[in-house]
């Protein structure tokens, strides 16, 4: 894949996470009964960064859950993915809480649909909100993010690459072709 452009560097990512964190606090009129849930893989460190920023803003920490939605996907063939029967999850009580689901890129909406199924199968939240670092369009399902770091219109032959220090050793978002 060839890099077409850098969309976000480390500073831009930090600004986007700071903005998303403030928007979560503002929209929910504080942080009471809010839990953050990161979607494996890159949604988890983004959720932890948002939790850290909210703690700086509000002086109180938020719980951060982690989910692996592999067995909930409808766009991956069973032959290609072997998923253990036990849940790979660090999720806590979500009943009557506002869950902020966090992922790196919103594209077709299928990952979000799988995550919604997972969360609802494991509890009864008051509400579920969605935060993404990048929204690239091309939805196949009627899903829209409540909090977006950057909207990037793309063609279907382009690919958004999010790199995070925790996983990749650097922070960047690029568009590749």
């Amino acid at each position: 894949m060839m890099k077409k452009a850098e969309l976000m560097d480390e500073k831009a990512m930090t600004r986007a996470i700071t903005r998303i964190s403030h928007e979560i606090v503002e929209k929910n009129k504080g942080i009471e009964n809010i839990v953050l849930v990161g979607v494996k893989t890159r949604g988890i460190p983004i959720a932890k960064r948002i939790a850290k920023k909210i703690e700086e803003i509000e002086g109180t920490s938020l719980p951060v859950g982690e989910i692996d939605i592999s067995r909930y996907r409808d766009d991956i063939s069973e032959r290609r993915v072997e998923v253990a029967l036990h849940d790979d999850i660090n999720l806590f009580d979500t009943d009557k809480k506002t869950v902020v689901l966090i992922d790196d890129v919103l594209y077709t909406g299928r990952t979000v649909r799988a995550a919604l199924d997972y969360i609802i199968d494991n509890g009864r939240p008051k509400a579920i909100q969605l935060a993404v670092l990048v929204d690239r369009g091309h939805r196949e399902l009627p899903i829209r993010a409540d909090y977006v770091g950057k909207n990037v219109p793309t063609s279907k032959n382009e690919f958004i690459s999010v790199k995070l220090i925790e996983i990749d050793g650097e922070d960047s978002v690029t568009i590749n072709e």
Side-chain angles (χ1 to χ4, degrees), residues 108-151:
T108 62
R110 293 191 178 279
T111 297
V112 174
R113 189 225 29 99
L116 292 171
D117 286 350
Y118 193 113
I119 291 167
I120 290 167
D121 279 356
N122 288 282
R124 177 68 171 98
K126 174 184 168 189
I128 302 174
Q129 300 171 355
L130 176 61
V132 295
L133 188 60
V134 178
D135 183 345
R136 65 170 288 193
H138 302 289
R139 222 71 78 237
E140 294 175 2
L141 300 171
I143 292 173
R144 181 179 54 88
D146 299 279
Y147 314 102
V148 178
K150 187 171 187 77
N151 282 295

Side-chain angles (χ1 to χ4, degrees), residues 2 30 42 48 50 53 55 109 111 118-119 124 129 168:
M2 190 171 93
R42 286 174 177 74
K48 289 177 180 177
I50 290 171
K53 185 55 72 175
E55 184 172 4
T111 297
Y118 193 113
I119 291 167
R124 177 68 171 98
Q129 300 171 355
D168 309 295

Side-chain angles (χ1 to χ4, degrees), residues 12 24 30 33 40 53 58 72 86-87 90 111 126 129-130 139 143 145 152 160-162 175:
I24 290 169
N33 288 318
K40 186 179 177 182
K53 185 55 72 175
E58 293 291 302
Y72 282 82
H86 69 281
D87 289 335
N90 175 16
T111 297
K126 174 184 168 189
Q129 300 171 355
L130 176 61
R139 222 71 78 237
I143 292 173
V152 181
I160 301 291
S161 173
V162 175
I175 189 164

Side-chain angles (χ1 to χ4, degrees), residues 60-107:
T60 305
S61 64
L62 286 177
V64 179
E66 306 173 0
I67 60 174
D68 178 350
I69 50 90
S70 299
R71 69 184 171 100
Y72 282 82
R73 302 282 307 209
D74 66 355
D75 57 348
I76 297 176
S77 159
E78 287 181 40
R79 292 184 314 270
R80 293 188 305 149
V81 175
E82 283 286 325
V83 181
L85 292 176
H86 69 281
D87 289 335
D88 179 16
I89 187 172
N90 175 16
L91 189 60
F92 33 79
D93 181 25
T94 58
D95 288 346
K96 299 179 183 166
K97 295 195 167 92
T98 297
V99 173
V100 181
L101 182 63
I102 301 168
D103 205 4
D104 58 347
V105 178
L106 177 56
Y107 181 35

